[in-house]
Amino acid sequence: MTWIWLRALATRRTGRLLATAAGIAIAVALFASLGSFLMASKATMTERAAGSVAVDWQVEVKSPDRLAEVLQQVSATPGTQQALPVGYADTSGLSARVGGTSQTTGPGQVLGVPRGYDQVFPGSIRSLAGATEGALVAQQTAANLHVQPGDVVSIGRAGLPAVSVTVEGVVELPQADSLFQDVAAPPQSQPVSPPDNVVLLPRAVFLDAFRPLAAARPDLVSTQIHVRRTHALPSDPSAAFAAVSGSARNVEAATSGAGIVGDNLGAALDAAREDALYSQVLFLFLGAPGAVLAAGLSATVSASGAGRRRREQALLRLRGASNAQLRRLVSLEAVATAGLGGLIGLVAAVGIGTFGLGGLGPLGSDFGTTVLASLGWAGLALLLGLDIAVAVIWLPARRDLKHTSTVGALRTVSSGARPVWLRYGLDIALLVAALAVFWVTSRNKYALVLAPEGVQTISVNYWAFLAPGLGWLGAGLLSWRLCDVVLDRGRRLVARALRPAAGTLATTASSMMARQRRTIAGSAVLIGLALAFAMSTATFNATYRQQAEVDAQLTNGADVAVTESPGSETPPAAGDRLRSVPGVRAVEPLQHRYAYVGADLQDLYGVDARTIGDATSLQDAYFQGGSATQLLSRLAARPDSVLVSAETVLDYQLKTGDLIRLRLQDARTTTSTTVPFHYVGIVNEFPTAPKDSFLVANASYIATQTGSDAVGTFLVDTAGSNSSAIAAKVQSIVGTDARVTDITQSRGQVGSSLTSVDLSGLSRIELLFALLIVTASGGLVTGLGLTERRRSLAIAGALGASPAQLRRLTVGEPAFVILAGLLAGALTGWGLSQLLVKILTGVFDPPPTHLSVPWAYVGVAVTCTVLSVAGAAALVGRRTRMHARDELREL
Amino acid sequence: MGSDRRTGTPHPPSVTYRRPPLVAAVQVSRTFGAGRRAVVAVHGATCTIEPDARIAISGVSGSGKSTLLHLFAGLDQPTSGSLEWPAQDHGGAPGSYDVATVFQGASLIPSLTARENAALPLVLQGIGQGIAEDRADLALTDLGVGGFGGKLPEELSGGQAQRVAVARAVATSPRLILADEPTGQLDHRAAQRVVDVLLHTADRLGAALVVSTHDPQVAHRLVTPWRMHQGRLDTHLDEPSCRRS
């Protein structure tokens, strides 16, 4: 009997079996793909974090006598690949005589680097001019001293005569912050910025030059051991962080405090583990609804055939089958469907990974995911498929066997009793609860991811998941309720709406729809939720991209930024030579000064308020109390206007029009001078400005008051294209006098800091599956629902209904499903998008003021819905006409 | 001149003109499937159904009765032979206005009430919903199920559902009523009532009535007995033929 049942299932119920399996396959494929993506993403984060560090450890040797011992200990520590001693010495100042003029600098640092250092630590030193070995000066130092390779620099030593070296090359130190960190100091006590004046000497030269100073002033000379560690780390950033920081602590313990480890690698992994948790959160937020929807799709497909299954079971019971036998048959059906769906899902996931996402499949290991981990995800996905099959096939069938009589099971239309949840208003309760939870969580300004710096434990505020979860469910159930009400109590309204298409059959069609309202409402809700999923995911992704671009623009200032060396006196007219570079659309000079507001030192930016918007994007969100245009107009209206950060306004209780006296350095006298300004508005963000307090004023006024129109940065607009190539051309023009950066680099920095999650990969998976679910929901559910009514249509045909009349009888159902689904999807999608962006606000930097809706994608999703529903209806209608005789033979 | 089997009284003389037959079949066959699995349901049936015919088709299950009725109704097409409806203006397959069929099994649309089911053929003919439902109510009352108009098919017993199906057939005032085992699920009394209604309606409308049945008592109440055996139709059981004239 079992074999006969299975064979019949495969041959007679092929469509339904495949449709249910398709729902399971989508869930399995989505879960496996997302799981693999998560694993790969975490591995990428670890890889990127490790790759971003040039010197993994800087071990400060506290006692020069124990250098050899510490070096030996560090070298012997498992995971250490290379360890080199580097000398550090404070210089009282540098001087050079070039072209008949003498240039001097303030205090600085001299490093003694061993031969081959730049090969052991690639990325630590970047050559700009001359040789890579010998005495090297940092780019800013070279600019300060006006030296180039071949010139002689004198290095001051406290209490000793200066030593002279010939400059062999000019270099950039990309990781100067960590290179000159105070190893033993906590993060809050680190130097604000690296030293401006740096000279690198070969270690032998360094030792000769500074051994006497070390003897006289040991506090001015020290030694660090720079360590290159293996980057074969656990793929999860948290595990990698634990492993690396554990080793660092082990070295400190083993050397009894003679060596203090500056764990640069650990610090990078520490930041990455926060990103990893964000990616986990995104995975749950964006992936879980997809899996639930796919399960819902299977459930709806299965439920649309539940009546037939009940009748078949009732007939089997009438012919003597026991409940145990029936349970066995249903179990087999569930396992067979889960197996088929799981297999299709895994094959699809591998396909998506291989062809769609560049090796991100569940069995691919391109991004560091181990095959074992991938197999683990595949196993979990299969388990999910089995769970869905049990939930949508086995449990309902078991409930029917337990609670439905044989006669009751033979019924073809469900009883009119309203579901319990509908009677008790569960949908409203869920929505109210969602709003309440959201209000409570957002009121407390919660942090979604809690990652105290340097602390091993890291946690996610999973409480935040509750609001969108409840909201999603509540919106789905409310949509169901509304569909139910419209189809049942609004029958006349539906008939009237159908009249243009159904003509005289409108009343009959609306009556048929009213009696099938549960199935129709289920289809509409599933389509609505699928659309909401697609819309909210797409909107979230688009908003994320929008804000990432905004962040990159803010960080770099413009498409290309030319930052002059501190102390340089580059006039605004220097921008003219940049304007001549092909591809440059606009160039704007941006002054950068420091100003004292009371006792606080703040950055002050001088701009031409009328033209600054030509070279950079200024969003309304950057300002408070008006749009960007309004605030800049206010700034331009009076020469002495100034925009102030909200924090300063609060601290000093400022009101619009208040006089502020700022202390600025006068270039003519090199002393501080008090300059009066009038406060006209609040600025929150500004290109190249720090996140904390700063000021924006008119450049011409600052120049007049301080006697200098020197430009800090030239903002170059390239219309968003060819930024890197144009940046290279600009660099060739300005030489080593200025630092040229383009937005591509900023995008990389932004993407690898807070949200190094490769959201584009996640987006592709999400959006692909969202479309798939939308299409499948529309097509499968409508098609199967109408197939169930094929017999009714055959009867109507036998009673004289023409093909056109049959179409009129059935046109209402797909039309209603499309309309209700689109409406429910649009409203729920809009609400969910708002909620998602609010809850995941930590992902955005800066937070968005408005959502970016990808209308093209939404249009594709809506088109897919309409085409799939209409197509399925047309197909079923055609098949019904073709097989009407077969149906009649059963009458 | 023939005689009425029920009363034995002679038939009235023939009228001066003859209406064309409703159905004319010549060597009609219907085969399902192909090759070795082919099943011949109707094999070379030749007959005519006159406008006032009262025909009972008997035969065992699977003998092809239902298929033959479906062919008469224009719901199916013959595999071979000629099947015509000469009474139709265009000579083609009849519409529901001309032919009403009562099916063997449960043939009500589950999502419509008894009244809506009975009114459906009328609505399909373009009659307004209100008028159609009034006429459906009359037909339901005639069949003794007038009180069940608002019930869904699943809320009716098998007999009640069958009477609703008959009501649906007669509500359109057809010229030919084809009833496939209309009393199969009814007790004797209900069966007799259904036959009464079918005969009464046919008389009232001047329609032909063809009933397939196992029940000899039902068959006995109709004038012309036909028999189906293994797909072959025998129309000469009672002299002279299925024609009453």
Side-chain angles (χ1 to χ4, degrees), chain A residues 586-753:
Chain A
V587 177
E588 270 297 304
L590 182 71
Q591 288 178 356
H592 183 214
R593 305 280 193 277
Y594 292 100
Y596 276 99
V597 184
D600 297 337
L601 184 65
Q602 294 190 8
D603 293 83
L604 169 67
Y605 295 92
V607 301
D608 183 339
R610 288 160 306 175
T611 56
I612 182 74
D614 295 347
T616 186
S617 161
L618 294 172
Q619 300 207 340
D620 292 343
Y622 297 176
F623 303 90
Q624 263 184 43
S627 65
T629 315
Q630 287 169 335
L631 269 288
L632 287 173
S633 297
R634 273 188 229 168
L635 186 66
R638 282 181 65 155
D640 62 348
S641 297
V642 67
L643 298 172
V644 179
S645 62
E647 193 183 329
T648 307
V649 171
L650 195 68
D651 287 348
Y652 293 90
Q653 296 292 303
L654 296 177
K655 292 187 187 66
T656 308
D658 279 358
L659 176 70
I660 312 175
R661 294 182 193 283
L662 302 179
R663 274 183 297 136
L664 300 169
Q665 192 183 47
D666 192 316
R668 293 160 295 203
T669 60
T670 65
T671 55
S672 284
T673 178
T674 302
V675 181
F677 285 91
H678 280 91
Y679 158 64
V680 294
I682 296 175
V683 58
N684 295 322
E685 304 268 8
F686 205 75
T688 73
K691 283 184 186 298
D692 51 6
S693 301
F694 62 92
L695 309 149
V696 177
N698 288 304
S700 55
Y701 182 68
I702 295 172
T704 312
Q705 295 295 318
T706 62
S708 168
D709 62 356
V711 174
T713 305
F714 284 102
L715 303 178
V716 181
D717 180 51
T718 65
S721 56
N722 281 331
S723 299
S724 298
I726 292 170
K729 280 181 193 159
V730 169
Q731 181 77 73
S732 68
I733 291 173
V734 299
T736 58
D737 293 342
R739 193 161 54 90
V740 180
T741 53
D742 69 274
I743 197 164
T744 320
Q745 294 164 288
S746 296
R747 282 191 195 116
Q749 283 165 10
V750 169
S752 61
S753 57

Side-chain angles (χ1 to χ4, degrees), chain A residues 443-808:
Chain A
R443 191 188 55 161
N444 292 338
K445 292 191 174 175
Y446 72 100
L448 190 65
V449 173
L450 302 168
E453 202 166 341
V455 179
Q456 292 278 353
T457 51
I458 190 164
S459 61
V460 171
N461 183 1
Y462 287 102
W463 173 251
F465 285 79
L466 207 54
L470 293 176
W472 197 64
L473 277 176
L477 292 181
L478 181 65
S479 307
W480 203 98
R481 175 194 288 277
L482 293 175
C483 288
D484 188 71
V485 167
V486 169
L487 287 172
D488 187 21
R489 295 184 194 169
R491 209 179 299 182
R492 285 187 182 172
L493 200 71
V494 173
R496 197 173 300 170
L498 286 177
R499 203 164 297 281
T504 51
L505 293 173
T507 309
T508 308
S510 72
S511 293
M512 288 173 86
M513 286 169 68
R515 310 271 154 59
Q516 300 290 345
R517 62 184 183 278
R518 300 278 153 81
T519 313
I520 297 173
S523 305
V525 168
L526 193 65
I527 288 172
L529 287 181
L531 265 177
F533 167 61
M535 277 180 63
S536 58
T537 305
T539 303
F540 176 82
N541 290 333
T543 308
Y544 178 89
R545 279 201 302 276
Q546 168 192 280
Q547 293 313 110
E549 193 62 22
V550 168
D551 193 13
Q553 276 269 357
L554 270 175
T555 305
N556 197 55
D559 293 338
V560 174
V562 182
T563 308
E564 300 295 330
S565 299
S568 77
E569 289 293 328
T570 311
D576 292 343
R577 57 181 180 160
L578 304 181
R579 285 190 187 91
S580 61
V581 175
V584 170
R585 202 167 64 169
V587 177
E588 270 297 304
L590 182 71
Q591 288 178 356
H592 183 214
R593 305 280 193 277
Y594 292 100
Y596 276 99
V597 184
D600 297 337
L601 184 65
Q602 294 190 8
D603 293 83
L604 169 67
Y605 295 92
V607 301
D608 183 339
R610 288 160 306 175
T611 56
I612 182 74
D614 295 347
T616 186
S617 161
L618 294 172
Q619 300 207 340
D620 292 343
Y622 297 176
F623 303 90
Q624 263 184 43
S627 65
T629 315
Q630 287 169 335
L631 269 288
L632 287 173
S633 297
R634 273 188 229 168
L635 186 66
R638 282 181 65 155
D640 62 348
S641 297
V642 67
L643 298 172
V644 179
S645 62
E647 193 183 329
T648 307
V649 171
L650 195 68
D651 287 348
Y652 293 90
Q653 296 292 303
L654 296 177
K655 292 187 187 66
T656 308
D658 279 358
L659 176 70
I660 312 175
R661 294 182 193 283
L662 302 179
R663 274 183 297 136
L664 300 169
Q665 192 183 47
D666 192 316
R668 293 160 295 203
T669 60
T670 65
T671 55
S672 284
T673 178
T674 302
V675 181
F677 285 91
H678 280 91
Y679 158 64
V680 294
I682 296 175
V683 58
N684 295 322
E685 304 268 8
F686 205 75
T688 73
K691 283 184 186 298
D692 51 6
S693 301
F694 62 92
L695 309 149
V696 177
N698 288 304
S700 55
Y701 182 68
I702 295 172
T704 312
Q705 295 295 318
T706 62
S708 168
D709 62 356
V711 174
T713 305
F714 284 102
L715 303 178
V716 181
D717 180 51
T718 65
S721 56
N722 281 331
S723 299
S724 298
I726 292 170
K729 280 181 193 159
V730 169
Q731 181 77 73
S732 68
I733 291 173
V734 299
T736 58
D737 293 342
R739 193 161 54 90
V740 180
T741 53
D742 69 274
I743 197 164
T744 320
Q745 294 164 288
S746 296
R747 282 191 195 116
Q749 283 165 10
V750 169
S752 61
S753 57
L754 181 62
T755 52
S756 65
V757 184
D758 181 9
L759 208 59
S760 61
L762 185 64
S763 304
R764 270 181 289 174
I765 296 175
E766 293 286 348
L767 300 184
L768 178 76
F769 275 98
L771 277 186
L772 205 62
I773 290 171
V774 163
T775 310
S777 303
L780 285 179
V781 176
T782 310
L784 287 170
L786 286 172
T787 302
E788 281 302 306
R789 290 188 270 300
R790 226 161 50 181
R791 187 182 169 86
S792 296
L793 297 177
I795 294 169
L799 295 176
S802 65
Q805 284 178 317
L806 287 179
R807 272 197 296 276
R808 280 184 223 147

Side-chain angles (χ1 to χ4, degrees), chain A residues 411-415 491 504-505 507-508 511-513 515-516 789 791-793 795-802 805 809 885 888-891, chain B residues 30 32 70 75-77 95-96 101 103-113 116-117 120-121 123-127 129 152 154 168 180:
Chain A
R411 289 180 176 171
T412 49
V413 175
S414 62
S415 69
R491 209 179 299 182
T504 51
L505 293 173
T507 309
T508 308
S511 293
M512 288 173 86
M513 286 169 68
R515 310 271 154 59
Q516 300 290 345
R789 290 188 270 300
R791 187 182 169 86
S792 296
L793 297 177
I795 294 169
L799 295 176
S802 65
Q805 284 178 317
L809 270 178
R885 282 177 207 154
L888 286 176
R889 285 173 64 193
E890 292 177 18
L891 292 178
Chain B
R30 178 68 172 100
F32 295 104
H70 288 171
L75 298 174
D76 200 358
Q77 288 178 336
S96 63
T101 311
F103 294 98
Q104 187 176 357
S107 62
L108 300 181
I109 293 175
S111 55
L112 294 179
T113 61
E116 288 165 342
N117 261 291
L120 183 58
V123 176
L124 289 171
Q125 288 169 10
I127 296 168
Q129 189 78 27
L152 287 170
E154 68 177 24
R168 181 177 64 187
D180 189 7

